[in-house]
Amino acid sequence: MMTLRLTTLLAFTALSAMSLPAYAQDAATPAAPAARSYKPVTNDMILNPPPEEWISWRRTVDNQGYSPLDLINKDTVKNLELAWAWPMAADGQQESAPLVHDGMMFLSTNQNIIQALDAKTGDLIWEYRHVLPQLPSSWGYQLNQARRQKNSIALYDDKVIVATADAKLVALDAATGKVDWETQAFDTSKGYSYTVGPLIVNDKVISAISGCSIAGTAGGCFIAAHDAKTGKELWRFNTIDDPKNPEQEASWGDVPPENRWGGTPWTTGSYDPRTNTTFWGIGMPGPYSQLIRGSGEGAVLYTNNTVALDADTGERKWNFSHLPADNWDLDSPFERILVDEGEGDAAKHLLVTVPGKDGIAFALDRDTGKYLWSRETVYQNVVKSIDAEGKVTLNSDLVPTAVNQEVFVCTSVSGGKLWMAGAYSPRTQTYYVPLAEACNTVTPTVTEFTAGNAVGATKFGPRVLPPNITDGGVVEAINVADGSQKWRLNQRPTFTSSLLATGGGLVFGGDAGRFLMAMDEETGDVLWKTRLNAPIGGYPMTYEIDGEQYLAVPTGFSAQAGSSASMFPEIPVPSGSGNSLFVFKLRSDNAKTASN
């Protein structure tokens, strides 16, 4: 096993001789936008955002994806109409997350193009285009990072904080788009990049780097904090090399830090001000198969874990393993949602999540990391059992013992659960999760590790449905108190967007078939739907201006829509990316008929 791993590593292409050209930043376009007043976003506002605004990635730092607005409700949703639409500035995977504050919408697209729009009219206020380095065409994985920018921005003070594909943090003036400061947080020549935006906590920009499965990034994947006023680094936490934890070091077996990959925290974390703790999900180890990786049969920490860190110091408080020895790229970095069940001293402080592609839901005590419950949501054959303490036992029959040995794995590398975030409603104490039924074959291979490319050393077969299942798309409504199912929606097209829960009793989301829909929070019944130009994507959100509630929905190409089309040829992906933003509101004669 070790000989095989070392042979593979000898093929690694050296990166130190490669250099990247110098480049400059291109400031706001159009030039010299008109002066506009802008109310700064305070730390208190981030913790308690105005109900009419959407300041953070999931509106609140607990990542619930919930808005209390109720003008658009079960009675009025049928009266939604298009208010305005906007074509996005770049193609690529549609994973955008619009933010709204003080009447301005901030929209981040692929290639790190940031636009400020009038949130009421859709008029452009300013545009910023980050100039990325020219990478060699052979650096395929790293080049693609700029085409998969998700929630790449955050709002703080009078700034828009941007996490870029070339591993920079940039602060823009929110009123004009001009650069205030920037810092090269990590070395992009090694393969590091940002694909998700930061979390703002008490004047800190807490971010997580991506690209940690690229050849040159061996030895470190990081969550880091920077000063929000200057960009200076304050602390960093290494997810695959923690000398302070002997258990973590031993979990990698004989693999030294310089030969470790993976552990990528590629979804923005959450924050609990009560304990000053930030929670992050961590991705799979690399290479994907333990046969190639050389790490042995046990857990590989902190991969596929939840980690709880002190927000001031980055010190680990606890960690929990959701998938101890991943051999199939079923990584577990997705949204960690913070929920308080009950009130006062009797309240339970929960962290709920479907952390990984296997689609298994977990609830943990977020103060201690103690396991509370778990629930399977879609068909999977990888996890054999989870005991009363939360220890996960894998199906050993699916662990390859030889190169080129093919195994049939459910769920798929495409999920199960993927980056599309679920939403929690405090009205119903329910976690709503977009899911997919899917399987594929997984085969470990001997692969040359080359600059700018992943070290997965794995071949994946096409996505197919599990045995005896005909519908690919699922929304599961889970009671957070005990993990029981409240309702389940099944349909043939796969869901391709995140979900939004609202005070109007609705759950919004959309699918590969281009349908945007509003579901009843209590039953899952579809109360309204409309078909748009492309698969529904990104992160639907809602806001209110001048007494009118708006619903903003990104559309466009996504890998999930593409893999869904391979299962359902009658639901093809449209030619062209179609990356756009559609903004709806109620017809004017219904705009003020809120259900109180």
Side-chain angles (χ1 to χ4, degrees):
M1 181 181 297
M2 182 58 69
T3 301
L4 176 60
R5 181 175 60 81
L6 292 176
T7 301
T8 306
L9 292 175
L10 288 174
F12 169 58
T13 299
L15 300 178
S16 58
M18 309 234 19
S19 61
L20 299 177
Y23 53 93
Q25 303 309 317
D26 185 11
T29 304
R36 183 181 179 115
S37 63
Y38 181 83
K39 183 179 180 180
V41 174
T42 65
N43 289 316
D44 287 343
M45 197 180 296
I46 291 170
L47 295 180
N48 297 288
E52 67 273 13
E53 298 193 332
W54 196 280
I55 289 178
S56 301
W57 166 53
R58 300 298 286 152
R59 202 184 83 86
T60 47
V61 294
D62 51 24
N63 282 356
Q64 291 184 4
Y66 171 80
S67 168
L69 298 181
D70 64 359
L71 288 172
I72 301 172
N73 54 54
K74 296 179 186 181
D75 294 325
T76 63
V77 67
K78 63 182 180 293
N79 297 316
L80 282 176
E81 64 179 9
L82 186 66
W84 55 268
W86 183 257
M88 291 197 183
D91 60 10
Q93 300 204 40
Q94 178 50 282
E95 302 174 4
S96 296
L99 304 179
V100 168
H101 172 61
D102 201 17
M104 295 175 67
M105 174 180 287
F106 300 94
L107 183 63
S108 173
T109 70
N110 293 318
Q111 306 296 333
N112 295 132
I113 301 171
I114 316 301
Q115 296 171 322
L117 307 172
D118 186 302
K120 186 172 183 177
T121 66
D123 293 329
L124 178 67
I125 299 171
W126 57 255
E127 178 179 284
Y128 167 83
R129 290 178 177 257
H130 187 76
V131 180
L132 294 165
Q134 296 296 312
L135 301 177
S137 60
S138 60
W139 291 24
Y141 188 96
Q142 191 169 346
L143 283 167
N144 192 52
Q145 297 291 70
R147 293 173 52 82
R148 55 182 296 192
Q149 297 289 292
K150 288 186 276 299
N151 53 305
S152 298
I153 57 176
L155 303 182
Y156 166 77
D157 195 28
D158 58 353
K159 304 294 186 292
V160 180
I161 310 296
V162 186
T164 72
D166 57 340
K168 282 190 171 188
L169 293 172
V170 180
L172 307 177
D173 184 289
T176 67
K178 294 183 180 299
V179 175
D180 182 71
W181 59 256
E182 63 180 53
T183 187
Q184 187 72 57
F186 295 93
D187 189 348
T188 193
S189 70
K190 294 182 178 180
Y192 288 115
S193 62
Y194 283 117
T195 60
V196 296
L199 172 70
I200 307 298
V201 173
N202 295 331
D203 305 320
K204 300 179 188 67
V205 179
I206 303 180
S207 62
I209 199 64
S210 293
C212 305
S213 294
I214 287 180
T217 58
C221 198
F222 304 97
I223 302 165
H226 291 75
D227 187 296
K229 296 185 181 297
T230 66
K232 178 183 178 182
E233 183 175 306
L234 302 174
W235 56 257
R236 63 169 60 186
F237 176 81
N238 191 330
T239 66
I240 56 175
D241 181 20
D242 183 5
K244 296 180 180 180
N245 185 355
E247 180 186 6
Q248 191 274 337
E249 291 294 290
S251 72
W252 282 85
D254 295 330
V255 182
E258 61 268 23
N259 289 340
R260 300 176 192 171
W261 284 272
T264 307
W266 57 276
T267 301
T268 304
S270 50
Y271 174 67
D272 184 354
R274 184 179 55 87
T275 59
N276 194 36
T277 306
T278 183
F279 305 89
W280 294 76
I282 312 299
M284 77 291 174
Y288 304 153
S289 169
Q290 66 191 44
L291 179 71
I292 308 295
R293 193 164 63 235
S295 57
E297 298 180 354
V300 186
L301 302 177
Y302 299 109
T303 68
N304 292 322
N305 274 223
T306 296
V307 295
L309 306 177
D310 185 290
D312 284 340
T313 65
E315 293 292 320
R316 178 183 63 93
K317 293 186 175 183
W318 57 259
N319 62 280
F320 180 89
S321 177
H322 300 277
L323 193 67
D326 191 351
N327 284 266
W328 316 278
D329 189 13
L330 296 179
D331 55 335
S332 303
F334 307 129
E335 72 279 0
R336 269 56 176 177
I337 296 176
L338 310 185
V339 173
D340 289 338
E341 184 196 357
E343 297 180 357
D345 294 339
K348 296 180 180 179
H349 306 293
L350 309 182
L351 180 151
V352 295
T353 180
V354 178
K357 297 175 183 177
D358 60 19
I360 299 175
F362 286 82
L364 308 175
D365 182 312
R366 69 175 184 262
D367 291 346
T368 64
K370 179 182 177 181
Y371 168 83
L372 300 175
W373 55 257
S374 59
R375 173 183 177 80
E376 292 190 28
T377 61
V378 291
Y379 179 84
Q380 66 85 29
N381 62 0
V382 168
V383 173
K384 187 176 181 180
S385 64
I386 302 176
D387 70 15
E389 301 299 316
K391 181 179 179 181
V392 176
T393 299
L394 301 178
N395 180 357
S396 59
D397 293 341
L398 297 182
V399 178
T401 58
V403 173
N404 297 323
Q405 177 188 346
E406 183 180 275
V407 294
F408 183 70
V409 175
C410 304
T411 61
S412 162
V413 66
S414 301
K417 173 71 166 62
L418 207 57
W419 61 265
M420 295 82 77
Y424 169 79
S425 173
R427 290 165 46 97
T428 60
Q429 294 82 54
T430 302
Y431 178 28
Y432 305 96
V433 192
L435 300 155
E437 298 280 7
C439 310
N440 57 232
T441 58
V442 178
T443 308
T445 62
V446 175
T447 304
E448 181 180 0
F449 295 175
T450 60
N453 290 294
V455 300
T458 301
K459 180 175 68 176
F460 298 100
R463 179 175 176 174
V464 298
L465 287 169
N468 303 315
I469 291 178
T470 58
D471 290 332
V474 177
V475 172
E476 182 101 342
I478 302 172
N479 185 332
V480 300
D482 57 11
S484 60
Q485 181 190 99
K486 186 163 187 175
W487 53 259
R488 179 183 178 93
L489 172 64
N490 294 285
Q491 63 171 42
R492 192 157 170 82
T494 301
F495 284 89
T496 50
S497 82
S498 299
L499 300 183
L500 162 68
T502 75
L506 300 171
V507 178
F508 288 94
D511 63 28
R514 300 186 284 123
F515 282 104
L516 168 67
M517 62 193 73
M519 294 159 274
D520 187 306
E521 67 179 5
E522 294 286 356
T523 64
D525 293 339
V526 176
L527 303 180
W528 172 85
K529 68 178 180 179
T530 190
R531 202 169 202 187
L532 300 178
N533 67 322
I536 314 305
Y539 302 87
M541 52 82 79
T542 188
Y543 58 97
E544 184 177 312
I545 296 178
D546 295 337
E548 292 186 298
Q549 183 180 352
Y550 295 79
L551 171 69
V553 181
T555 67
F557 171 79
S558 68
Q560 292 67 48
S563 60
S564 176
S566 69
M567 291 192 295
F568 308 124
E570 76 276 19
I571 312 173
V573 176
S575 59
S577 71
N579 286 15
S580 305
L581 183 73
F582 290 85
V583 179
F584 298 86
K585 68 176 183 176
L586 297 173
R587 289 197 296 269
S588 57
D589 56 336
N590 291 284
K592 302 185 183 301
T593 57
S595 176
N596 296 318

